[in-house]
Amino acid sequence: MIAFILRRAFLAIPTLAFISFIAFVIIQLPPGDYITAYAAELRHQGEYITEAQEAAMRAQYGLNDPILVQYWRWITDIIFHGDFGYSLQWNAPVSSLIWDRLAITLAISTLSLVFTWIIAIPVGVYSATRQYSVLDYVFTVFGFLGKGIPDFLLALILLWVSFVYLNLDVGGLFSAQYQSAPWSLGKVIDLLQHLWIPLVVLATGGAAGLIRVMRANMLDELGKPYVETAYAQGLSEARVVWGYPVRVALNPFISTVGWALPALFSGDIITAVVLNLPTTGPLLLQALKMQDMYLAGSFILVLSVFTVIGTLISDILLAWFDPRIRYA
């Protein structure tokens, strides 16, 4: 296992370098650059800048340099100085833009992930052990509805219900009077009144899908000889179910850690845009639209790091939970 971890960590270095380079190039593939997008946005607002001003801005930001030169300057600053560059659109350091929104993004994503697992695991186990019962049919309908309803549509419905029937100030995470206010009990309560909507939206789709996965895996395991042997030895149903087949059925949950870790960083972009959440997802979307390569490239680089780490964690946990999986 130690050799496997070291080998994966060593391979992660060229993998991240390759991903960062490809992402940096792809961001700049559309015609024009950030100055072109910026000038178009000004024209849409009825303002104009001259070609000389555009040329001066390109020279100031180093956009006239070849892509390889721009990439090398950006990646070496990250490696040797921890400097992710300067956002052209926001006119601020990339690091401050990312970390300012990261805490809220991690809080929402982590809570929704925990909420998803708390629902999906016991419900999936119950549905498998009580197959074709009334509650099994109820959970099946919930699973199909949860997977079939888009997150953004569910978000819009909950916003409408909150505004019309609960008389709540919807959108964002705080009411207007608490946006810039220092932390207090009132601000915490106001946060909780807004936080339940993104948690429900993000957890519904994930829980619905994982319930079906957990149920299917449990049904596959419950009919195997080792389960019948455990029952024949007089073990209780709870000990048999939770001690043996559940461990094997949890493999899909563990394997999704590799996806969940970068998702914790980025969050659900569409849901965040609809709910006006101050998370990292909308910031990445705007950076890609404006070809703000240093901000967008830094986001993708961090997501790649989280993905590599998450995949390694998934492999280690799978080997620990499932004795059949071992790495020499």
Side-chain angles (χ1 to χ4, degrees):
M1 180 64 71
I2 295 177
F4 168 77
I5 295 174
L6 293 176
R7 185 168 62 252
R8 290 294 297 272
F10 178 77
L11 291 175
I13 297 175
T15 301
L16 292 175
F18 178 76
I19 292 175
S20 65
F21 175 73
I22 294 299
F24 195 86
V25 172
I26 290 177
I27 291 169
Q28 301 194 62
L29 280 182
D33 51 24
Y34 167 74
I35 304 302
T36 305
Y38 176 67
E41 185 176 350
L42 287 180
R43 285 194 297 271
H44 182 71
Q45 298 173 358
E47 303 177 18
Y48 299 90
I49 58 175
T50 64
E51 293 185 1
Q53 289 175 314
E54 291 185 25
M57 293 177 67
R58 286 191 176 91
Q60 176 185 353
Y61 294 126
L63 300 181
N64 293 324
D65 296 332
I67 292 180
L68 286 176
V69 175
Q70 295 182 43
Y71 171 77
W72 180 254
R73 183 169 56 237
W74 171 66
I75 199 68
T76 52
D77 283 343
I78 293 177
I79 295 173
F80 297 110
H81 307 291
D83 183 6
F84 286 85
Y86 208 77
S87 172
L88 308 180
Q89 180 185 5
W90 294 88
N91 196 28
V94 169
S95 300
S96 63
L97 292 173
I98 293 178
W99 306 132
D100 286 348
R101 294 176 177 238
L102 185 59
I104 294 177
T105 305
L106 288 177
I108 295 175
S109 300
T110 303
L111 288 175
S112 64
L113 179 64
V114 172
F115 190 37
T116 298
W117 285 20
I118 289 176
I119 295 175
I121 294 176
V123 170
V125 172
Y126 179 88
S127 294
T129 54
R130 301 294 185 271
Q131 189 180 15
Y132 304 131
S133 64
V134 175
L135 284 180
D136 181 31
Y137 284 116
V138 170
F139 294 139
T140 298
V141 172
F142 167 78
F144 289 138
L145 289 176
K147 293 299 292 182
I149 299 176
D151 287 348
F152 73 89
L153 180 59
L154 180 60
L156 291 174
I157 294 173
L158 291 179
L159 287 176
W160 177 76
V161 170
S162 301
F163 181 75
V164 174
Y165 294 101
L166 302 180
N167 197 27
L168 295 176
D169 181 18
V170 297
L173 290 179
F174 300 101
S175 302
Q177 63 269 28
Y178 288 107
Q179 286 286 353
S180 303
W183 282 100
S184 62
L185 180 60
K187 187 169 184 176
V188 173
I189 295 175
D190 184 71
L191 173 63
L192 295 177
Q193 289 177 342
H194 290 76
L195 190 60
W196 71 272
I197 295 180
L199 288 184
V200 170
V201 171
L202 294 174
T204 298
L210 288 177
I211 286 173
R212 305 304 300 165
V213 172
M214 190 69 183
R215 180 182 184 275
N217 287 353
M218 284 293 296
L219 289 175
D220 287 340
E221 294 300 321
L222 289 175
K224 292 185 176 179
Y226 74 89
V227 177
E228 298 177 1
T229 302
Y231 277 122
Q233 291 178 344
L235 299 179
S236 64
E237 182 185 18
R239 186 174 179 184
V240 172
V241 170
W242 290 96
Y244 300 100
V246 168
R247 290 180 59 187
V248 179
L250 281 176
N251 283 357
F253 289 76
I254 299 170
S255 62
T256 56
V257 171
W259 310 335
L261 202 56
L264 293 180
F265 177 80
S266 62
D268 190 293
I269 297 178
I270 298 178
T271 302
V273 171
V274 172
L275 296 177
N276 192 29
L277 301 178
T279 55
T280 56
L283 192 65
L284 171 59
L285 177 62
Q286 189 63 24
L288 291 172
K289 289 169 58 178
M290 294 296 295
Q291 291 182 260
D292 191 348
M293 65 276 193
Y294 297 124
L295 180 57
S298 298
F299 262 114
I300 296 174
L301 177 61
V302 174
L303 287 175
S304 302
V305 172
F306 273 72
T307 303
V308 170
I309 295 175
T311 303
L312 179 59
I313 294 175
S314 295
D315 292 339
I316 295 173
L317 291 178
L318 281 173
W320 181 42
F321 271 85
D322 191 343
R324 298 172 301 177
I325 302 175
R326 289 292 184 266
Y327 296 97

